[in-house]
């Protein structure tokens, strides 16, 4: 099998996907713009060949790269980056080279929030009221229907980038003065509640072979826009309505051999409201959290699905696993050594966070696990306590 992996060095922990493909005998063909000598050693050893391009955004360079790989190794069987940023590039390359997976025609429903909303409705999953807008009067008319506050986000966007919370008319005026020109925006009513996710992996037949759920202490938008501390954790028991809605959406989107990350609001009145889907693993260190919460190796299991279409692990969610991020501009009560010394068994991993993720996740992240949610939350509060 020939597997072209775009940007195998980023996010940093995703090198493990390449390592596990290689263990199963796959020709892992990496392409990126990073110099080869900057790749970590485990990644270098897992790559059959590495093709460096000058600019990953230059589609002609990517075409030449795949042409070279095809000439040298034969037909490309799979292509991916497992990264939201490259999703549309992947789809174009799969379409042009007849590679299985998501193609160009699949992109609108999973990239455009306005089209995504239609898929939620098709699945029978409730969503916040929303509308694609291009003008001030059009936006004002929608706000008159739903009331302030509203959320404005690019129809095609990643995470909370260029997302605005509009609470009154002066905010609305500032939004139209500052928003990027010519970028279509989707406006939604604001739902007060917590974000809960439905995350997992499907096999080649579309069966869900692994799933879990995470709850956030606040929205990513608030973490970014207000520069706040971020904390989220895996749930040991998945709410029934969340699992039902998540499964419906996976089926409607016809996901095969693919990770998924579906976000919902759990409103204050208990309602579950669909937010958006992402056809890739959850970001940051969440794939590592899959492993620590379940004592499995999701990187190896994904490779098993790609190569043999089998998932070998049994999982029962014996732990809650939480991510606790710290930001450099805060003065915390306890330093790193005090955290590790106080919770040596519960803090199972920690590392600096890449700059592109730090506005949401912080500059340093801790993974903490415990079978007891109260203990997990106590540790998060200890890590986040301010002077």
């Amino acid at each position: 099998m020939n597997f072209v992996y775009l940007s195998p060095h980023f996010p940093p922990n995703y090198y493990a996907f390449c390592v596990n493909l290689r263990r199963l005998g796959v020709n892992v063909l990496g392409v990126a713009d990073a110099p080869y000598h900057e790749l970590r050693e485990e990644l270098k050893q897992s790559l059959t060949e590495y093709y460096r391009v000058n600019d990953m955004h230059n589609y002609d360079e990517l075409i030449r790269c795949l042409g070279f790989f095809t000439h040298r190794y034969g037909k490309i069987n799979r292509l991916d980056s497992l990264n939201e940023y490259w999703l549309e590039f992947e789809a174009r390359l799969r379409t042009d080279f007849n590679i299985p997976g998501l193609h160009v025609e699949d992109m609108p429903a999973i990239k455009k929030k306005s089209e995504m909303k239609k898929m939620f409705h098709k699945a029978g999953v409730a969503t916040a009221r929303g509308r694609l807008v291009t003008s001030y009067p059009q936006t004002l008319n929608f706000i008159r229907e739903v009331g302030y506050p509203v959320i404005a986000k690019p129809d095609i966007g990643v995470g909370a980038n260029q997302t605005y919370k509009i609470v009154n008319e002066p905010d609305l005026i500032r939004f139209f003065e500052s928003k990027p020109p010519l970028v279509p925006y989707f406006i939604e009513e604001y739902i007060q509640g917590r974000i809960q996710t439905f995350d997992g992996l499907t096999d080649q037949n579309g069966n869900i072979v692994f799933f879990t759920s995470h709850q956030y202490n606040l929205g990513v938008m608030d973490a970014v826009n207000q520069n706040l501390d971020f904390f989220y954790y895996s749930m040991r028991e998945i709410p029934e309505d969340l699992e039902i809605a998540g499964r419906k959406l996976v089926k409607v989107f016809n996901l095969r051999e693919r990770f998924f990350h579906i976000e919902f609001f759990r409103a204050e009145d208990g309602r579950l409201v669909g937010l958006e889907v992402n056809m890739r693993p959850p970001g940051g260190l969440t794939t590592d959290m899959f492993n620590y919460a379940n004592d499995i190796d999701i990187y190896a299991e994904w490779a098993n699905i790609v190569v043999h279409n089998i998932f070998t692990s049994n999982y029962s969610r014996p732990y809650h696993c939480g991510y606790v991020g710290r930001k450099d501009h805060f003065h915390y009560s306890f330093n790193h050594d005090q955290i590790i010394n106080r919770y040596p068994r519960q803090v199972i991993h920690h590392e600096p966070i890449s700059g592109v993720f730090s506005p949401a996740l912080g500059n340093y992240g801790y993974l903490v696990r415990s079978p007891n949610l109260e203990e997990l939350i106590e540790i998060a509060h200890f890590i986040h306590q301010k002077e």
Side-chain angles (χ1 to χ4, degrees):
M1 174 181 279
N2 297 317
F3 193 112
V4 173
Y5 203 113
L6 305 185
S7 187
H9 64 296
F10 189 85
N13 53 329
Y14 281 16
Y15 79 94
F17 288 118
C18 294
V19 168
N20 282 282
L21 284 175
R22 185 64 173 172
R23 285 174 180 165
L24 295 180
V26 175
N27 280 329
V28 186
L29 308 170
V31 53
D33 51 14
Y36 180 74
H37 71 269
E38 292 182 1
L39 305 184
R40 64 189 300 158
E41 194 58 37
E42 302 97 319
L43 178 57
K44 290 180 184 178
Q45 293 179 10
S46 71
L47 297 177
T48 303
E49 186 155 355
Y50 180 70
Y51 188 109
R52 185 186 179 191
V53 295
N54 293 316
D55 182 1
M56 284 285 287
H57 301 88
N58 186 327
Y59 191 69
D60 288 340
E61 283 197 87
L62 297 180
I63 287 283
R64 286 195 293 272
C65 169
L66 261 68
F68 170 79
F69 283 153
T70 300
H71 175 74
R72 186 158 187 174
Y73 299 99
K75 178 170 174 55
I76 304 302
N77 303 105
R78 296 290 191 277
L79 179 144
D80 219 315
S81 70
L82 301 177
N83 189 328
E84 181 83 16
Y85 188 82
W86 302 114
L87 202 59
E88 291 174 287
F89 284 86
E90 296 166 9
R92 289 180 65 187
L93 290 168
R94 291 194 200 100
T95 301
D96 289 342
F97 285 84
N98 194 28
I99 301 169
L102 296 173
H103 290 140
V104 170
E105 62 268 24
D106 301 312
M107 287 298 99
I110 62 177
K111 289 294 292 183
K112 291 186 175 182
K113 293 176 176 61
S114 54
E115 295 297 319
M116 195 183 295
K117 184 84 71 174
K118 297 175 184 177
M119 299 295 282
F120 275 80
H121 293 164
K122 183 178 179 180
V125 175
T127 64
R129 289 173 289 177
R131 185 171 301 165
L132 193 63
V133 298
T134 56
S135 69
Y136 181 91
Q138 189 181 21
T139 308
L140 192 58
N141 285 338
F142 174 74
I143 293 173
R144 285 170 179 156
E145 293 178 24
V146 303
Y148 288 107
V150 295
I151 303 298
K153 43 192 168 183
D155 194 31
I156 298 177
V158 180
N161 293 329
Q162 298 176 331
T163 297
Y164 302 80
K165 183 178 180 181
I166 300 169
V167 301
N168 51 37
E169 192 161 353
D171 272 357
L172 182 60
I173 294 170
R174 283 192 292 270
F175 163 67
F176 272 95
E177 289 175 344
S178 62
K179 81 175 186 68
L182 305 179
V183 174
Y185 262 74
F186 194 77
I187 308 293
E188 278 187 328
E189 65 176 324
Y190 180 75
I191 304 294
Q192 186 69 39
R194 294 292 180 101
I195 290 179
Q196 292 181 343
T197 70
F198 186 69
D199 305 317
L201 174 66
T202 63
D203 67 12
Q204 295 176 18
N205 307 113
N207 302 307
I208 296 175
V209 293
F210 171 80
F211 72 96
T212 188
S213 176
H214 295 85
Q215 180 161 303
Y216 298 5
N217 72 320
L218 74 165
V220 177
M221 178 188 68
D222 293 328
V224 173
N225 292 348
Q226 300 178 45
N227 209 5
L228 301 175
D229 280 328
F230 192 53
F231 163 55
Y232 65 101
Y233 60 87
S234 64
M235 292 190 272
R236 296 187 62 191
E237 300 292 334
I238 312 301
E240 183 179 8
D241 60 346
L242 179 65
E243 181 179 346
I244 290 172
R247 287 184 176 276
K248 285 180 177 179
L249 286 164
V250 169
K251 185 175 182 180
V252 163
F253 279 94
N254 193 28
L255 297 183
R256 297 173 184 272
E257 194 185 297
R258 191 116 200 128
F259 281 103
F260 55 85
H261 170 61
I262 308 175
E263 296 182 351
F264 299 85
F265 281 118
R266 177 67 68 181
E268 290 185 331
D269 61 7
R271 290 179 301 130
L272 190 69
V273 180
L275 179 57
E276 65 182 54
V277 301
N278 299 275
M279 303 315 184
R280 42 80 177 169
L285 300 177
T286 314
T287 44
D288 300 294
M289 293 169 64
F290 288 173
N291 292 339
Y292 289 123
N294 295 279
D295 288 328
I296 64 173
D297 185 343
I298 198 66
Y299 303 103
E301 293 296 358
W302 170 82
N304 284 333
I305 291 294
V306 171
V307 179
H308 300 301
N309 199 30
I310 57 172
F311 188 94
T312 62
S313 294
N314 293 315
Y315 64 96
S316 59
R317 308 186 192 97
Y319 301 99
H320 297 281
C321 187
Y323 173 86
V324 190
R326 303 225 298 190
K327 295 186 173 180
D328 287 345
H329 70 279
F330 285 129
H331 297 286
Y332 295 98
S333 299
F334 304 103
N335 63 33
H336 174 77
D337 290 340
Q338 289 172 308
I339 293 169
I340 300 303
N341 289 336
R342 180 157 179 156
Y343 300 107
R345 291 183 299 103
Q346 297 91 337
V347 176
I348 48 177
H349 180 79
H350 54 86
E351 66 175 63
I353 302 301
S354 171
V356 69
F357 297 125
S358 58
L361 298 180
N363 305 102
Y364 204 87
Y366 295 85
L367 295 187
V368 183
R369 78 173 180 180
S370 171
N372 183 278
L373 181 57
E374 288 73 24
E375 181 181 44
L376 196 78
I377 293 173
E378 171 199 308
I379 297 169
H381 288 165
F382 181 86
I383 294 173
H384 279 162
Q385 184 173 317
K386 310 294 191 301
E387 292 180 347

